[in-house]
Amino acid sequence: MFGSSPVTVVITSETDTWDIDASSCLGCGQFVDWDRMPDPEQQARVPRDILSKPPKELKKLAREGYWAARHALRAQIYHQLIQQVACRLVTPDALVYRDVASRLFGKLSVSSHPLPEFLEACSMPTYCLNLEGVTALKKILICVGNLFPDITYCPILPSLVALLLHYSEDEAQCFENISRLIASNAPHTSYIDQSFLAHQASCMTFGDLANKHCPAAHKLIASTSENVFEVYSEWLSWLFHDLPFNYAIRVFDVYLLEGQKVLYRIALALLKQYRLSVTSVELERTDIKADLQAFVQNIAEHVTVEKLLERAFGIRLFSRKEIWLLQMANRKALMERGITMVQSRQSFYLAVDIQNFSSSIVTAQEMRIIWSWIPERFSLFPPLLLFSTSEDGCSLQRFYTCCEGYEPTVLLIKTTEGEVCGAFLSSDWSERKKSGVTSGFFGTGECFVFTVRPETERYEWVFIKKPELAKAVPRSRHRSPSPSPTSFLSSSPDGRGSSSNRLTVPTLQRKGRLSPFLAVRHFLLPSKTASMFMAGSQEGIIIGGGGGQALSLDANLLWGHTEHCETFDNPPLCQENFKVQLLEVWGFQNT
């Protein structure tokens, strides 16, 4: 491990040394201790013109491991791919490295230098590098610290440099290639997070994706770990620290072609595989963070690298732009919490202290499960009770007055039959007034409905489960308005639902505001009735629409109705026609 002080030098075994020899520029593969390397994979037939293949075909070849057994070919492909990465105009190259290395270390001299401060407390796998390779690794990291002063935290960097050294002609070429990845400026694409803020935002984004795409694993971790985020904060280490070399290098193959999005896929596949291999009983007294690390380190006992990648690419994630929007939203939330670009590291907990949580509807343990479903950026902030029928009375107007100005909110309902259900609502209830007197459906794809008693279950936007059904909207195309429901609360128990209260769609975008994650206008949906998230008028509220309403409440907040709807593809959340015993709305402080 790197020490906690900026002047600490890494200590290896007694037979190794960190003395720097500026003349250590060896041929491709000469940085590798071949005796420690795993056996090469079975030789594959590689097309002669592989380097001239279009990106889509090259991506397919990388996923299938076509150059996994050819060291020289992989070295050639790596260099060509990285040279094609769009990056900043002024990016240090091999010539700059030779000049800086000569000045820093001196020709043919032996000296010791501290590692960059941005590597403080970071671990460093060497991936079967020999002594010359380990020395070269340190030299490159020191030069990166010298030439990229804006980097403040970058735990993934040592692993990437170590992997590149396997396929570099010399230190200078390795430095130039890693510099291009650092300086990449392609839109909505990222290779290397370079600050604690960006790193934490990526960890939060992975937590959000795990919540959506690995619900079984997420539920298991949430029920056995005090801090779910602390477990997910290790996701990059699973890939570029814990995975064995022959797995990590295959990850690196596709990473160079597809960017950070592919890392999310593979880490999610690892999480899914982990869930298949353990039981809840086994984890009751287990440190799940350490158990996951051990699982990844011994992944060969559970799944081949080919099968792991196959499962990873079977996970249908949203577009690169949508993931970027989520990352930016998480970054904004961290900055509101006080995390900055320049700080190197900060210890803080994202989990809310559920033990101090008090509700008249759900227990602390039940709220802990609900909280684990909420997007990571909101779990930064403690819950705040905004409205309760037991304290504020059964008034819809009072409901709006108390809830407006808060985004998002959690709605909890307890029926007179003892059933408990609710919804996570991503948008401010004041959005209902954007179109004038009447209002339409609003909200985003982060909304979901859930049941707590008698069963605990969550029902998300239908396109979370089937993102392939929703295509990205071309930039030049504008969305048409969503349809209005034919009636508002038309199926309320007392039969007084009004068919005259037509709903129109408000303008969701505020000038100068970051476009929200999973906004409907980003997608070309086959059915507009599958994007009805939330709506409100003076006669009641609706959550979920299209073929039915997931939840609807009357103006007195006394009677409600639940049924299947297209937006969430949910069954009735409780008895279809129900009477409300208690209703609470929770917001998030400082949001």
Side-chain angles (χ1 to χ4, degrees):
M1 297 289 288
F2 292 132
S4 59
S5 169
V7 298
T8 302
V9 174
V10 175
I11 303 299
T12 57
S13 65
E14 293 182 4
T15 57
D16 290 337
T17 176
W18 281 98
D19 289 341
I20 296 172
D21 182 355
S23 63
S24 61
C25 295
L26 307 175
C28 179
Q30 294 304 307
F31 294 122
V32 182
D33 183 345
W34 292 101
D35 291 335
R36 294 163 54 201
M37 286 286 287
D39 293 332
E41 297 183 28
Q42 186 176 356
Q43 192 81 7
R45 293 187 62 184
V46 181
R48 291 184 179 180
D49 58 343
I50 188 171
L51 293 173
S52 62
K53 296 288 184 184
K56 188 173 182 180
E57 190 170 343
L58 206 56
K59 186 187 297 185
K60 181 176 182 292
L61 293 173
R63 291 181 177 188
E64 295 174 357
Y66 265 74
W67 49 83
R70 299 274 296 276
H71 189 277
L73 177 63
R74 186 181 251 150
Q76 191 179 1
I77 289 174
Y78 278 9
H79 186 65
Q80 176 170 303
L81 290 177
I82 295 173
Q83 289 300 308
Q84 294 172 353
V85 170
C87 58
R88 297 193 292 268
L89 185 61
V90 180
T91 299
D93 59 11
L95 290 176
V96 172
Y97 175 80
R98 292 188 180 100
D99 178 62
V100 172
S102 177
R103 286 190 289 105
L104 282 177
F105 312 123
K107 258 190 176 181
L108 302 176
S109 65
V110 177
S111 59
S112 293
H113 287 255
L115 289 159
E117 189 175 351
F118 64 75
L119 294 175
E120 177 186 335
C122 298
S123 57
M124 184 187 66
T126 56
Y127 290 123
C128 306
L129 294 178
N130 56 24
L131 178 59
E132 290 81 5
V134 173
T135 301
L137 171 59
K138 185 190 177 189
K139 289 174 64 178
I140 293 168
L141 292 173
I142 291 170
C143 286
V144 167
N146 187 270
L147 290 164
F148 291 90
D150 292 340
I151 300 179
T152 56
Y153 187 73
C154 194
I156 193 178
L157 192 62
S159 297
L160 300 185
V161 174
L163 290 171
L164 276 175
L165 273 171
H166 278 255
Y167 303 95
S168 298
E169 293 179 0
D170 55 27
E171 297 168 13
Q173 186 188 66
C174 182
F175 171 84
E176 178 174 324
N177 286 336
I178 198 66
S179 294
R180 293 188 68 85
L181 295 181
I182 292 171
S184 168
N185 61 1
H188 305 146
T189 302
S190 172
Y191 282 99
I192 303 174
D193 294 329
Q194 298 163 45
S195 68
F196 184 68
L197 174 65
H199 174 75
Q200 292 296 94
S202 293
C203 293
M204 290 170 66
T205 300
F206 177 75
D208 287 324
L209 295 174
N211 191 354
K212 296 182 184 304
H213 295 283
C214 306
H218 181 78
K219 186 175 181 180
L220 181 67
I221 292 171
S223 64
T224 55
S225 175
E226 289 294 325
N227 190 339
V228 178
F229 178 77
E230 189 177 354
V231 176
Y232 290 148
S233 67
E234 298 296 316
W235 78 280
L236 278 171
S237 293
W238 301 342
L239 303 178
F240 291 127
H241 180 273
D242 300 328
L243 277 179
F245 174 83
N246 55 329
Y247 283 70
I249 201 63
R250 288 289 299 276
V251 173
F252 198 72
D253 287 347
V254 291
Y255 165 69
L256 287 182
L257 279 160
E258 305 183 47
Q260 193 177 53
K261 181 179 177 181
V262 78
L263 301 185
Y264 288 128
R265 286 186 185 279
I266 297 168
L268 290 172
L270 284 170
L271 200 58
K272 283 177 174 283
Q273 187 64 40
Y274 174 72
R275 178 63 187 90
L276 292 174
S277 68
V278 297
T279 64
S280 301
V281 175
E282 291 174 337
L283 289 177
E284 282 181 359
R285 298 182 180 179
T286 300
D287 179 349
I288 196 166
K289 184 177 173 181
D291 197 54
L292 251 169
Q293 181 184 33
F295 170 81
V296 175
Q297 289 171 344
N298 297 288
I299 189 65
E301 299 176 6
H302 304 279
V303 64
T304 64
V305 65
E306 289 79 12
K307 183 59 69 174
L308 178 67
L309 292 176
E310 179 185 322
R311 291 173 180 171
F313 291 111
I315 298 172
R316 303 301 298 265
L317 294 184
F318 284 104
S319 69
R320 185 177 280 109
K321 178 184 177 182
E322 280 300 311
I323 292 176
W324 178 82
L325 284 170
L326 177 57
Q327 184 113 353
M328 291 303 101
N330 285 333
R331 222 185 250 217
K332 181 181 177 183
L334 286 165
M335 292 175 73
E336 290 176 358
R337 177 68 183 263
I339 308 301
T340 67
M341 290 290 291
V342 296
Q343 70 188 93
S344 58
R345 194 177 178 93
Q346 176 177 323
S347 296
F348 68 95
Y349 293 95
L350 303 185
V352 173
D353 183 6
I354 295 299
Q355 297 308 315
N356 293 328
F357 172 83
S358 178
S359 165
S360 300
I361 296 179
V362 294
T363 66
Q365 180 60 29
E366 287 169 338
M367 192 60 179
R368 180 176 172 182
I369 296 298
I370 297 170
W371 211 259
S372 74
W373 293 332
I374 292 169
E376 294 282 357
R377 64 188 183 278
F378 302 122
S379 64
L380 285 164
F381 306 100
L384 175 67
L385 183 62
L386 304 178
F387 175 85
S388 169
T389 51
S390 62
E391 296 179 10
D392 301 295
C394 298
S395 164
L396 183 60
Q397 188 54 50
R398 179 68 175 162
F399 171 94
Y400 287 140
T401 301
C402 292
C403 297
E404 286 179 8
Y406 289 89
E407 180 181 290
T409 54
V410 176
L411 173 70
L412 297 175
I413 298 171
K414 182 177 182 180
T415 73
T416 53
E417 299 298 317
E419 298 169 297
V420 175
C421 60
F424 173 80
L425 304 169
S426 65
S427 297
D428 190 331
W429 278 106
S430 64
E431 293 277 353
R432 78 189 191 284
K433 298 185 285 190
K434 295 286 177 167
S435 295
V437 179
T438 60
S439 145
F441 281 102
F442 53 97
T444 70
E446 287 192 294
C447 292
F448 60 84
V449 294
F450 57 84
T451 60
V452 178
R453 289 181 229 146
E455 300 293 333
T456 303
E457 194 59 68
R458 171 183 51 165
Y459 303 96
E460 298 180 285
W461 186 28
V462 65
F463 293 106
I464 297 287
K465 301 289 186 184
K466 300 177 180 179
E468 67 275 8
L469 299 179
K471 299 179 181 178
V473 175
R475 291 184 180 180
S476 60
R477 183 164 180 173
H478 297 283
R479 293 197 53 78
S480 57
S482 297
S484 303
T486 56
S487 65
F488 201 93
L489 294 174
S490 58
S491 56
S492 59
D494 59 5
R496 292 182 295 176
S498 170
S499 60
S500 62
N501 191 1
R502 295 283 180 171
L503 303 183
T504 57
V505 173
T507 301
L508 295 178
Q509 180 71 2
R510 298 176 188 170
K511 189 174 181 180
R513 186 185 183 192
L514 180 68
S515 183
F517 176 60
L518 297 188
V520 173
R521 65 182 174 279
H522 296 166
F523 302 94
L524 213 56
L525 303 179
S527 171
K528 294 176 183 177
T529 58
S531 57
M532 296 175 164
F533 301 113
M534 54 192 289
S537 77
Q538 295 305 310
E539 297 188 9
I541 63 174
I542 290 177
I543 299 164
Q549 298 160 358
L551 272 175
S552 58
L553 294 168
D554 68 6
N556 296 316
L557 303 181
L558 284 174
W559 292 97
H561 182 76
T562 177
E563 59 191 336
H564 171 269
C565 78
E566 294 176 18
T567 297
F568 300 117
D569 192 25
N570 60 284
L573 302 178
C574 58
Q575 185 177 322
E576 289 195 12
N577 296 313
F578 62 87
K579 187 175 182 180
V580 176
Q581 178 178 326
L582 285 170
L583 183 149
E584 293 177 348
V585 180
W586 291 84
F588 301 79
Q589 292 183 30
N590 298 326
T591 57

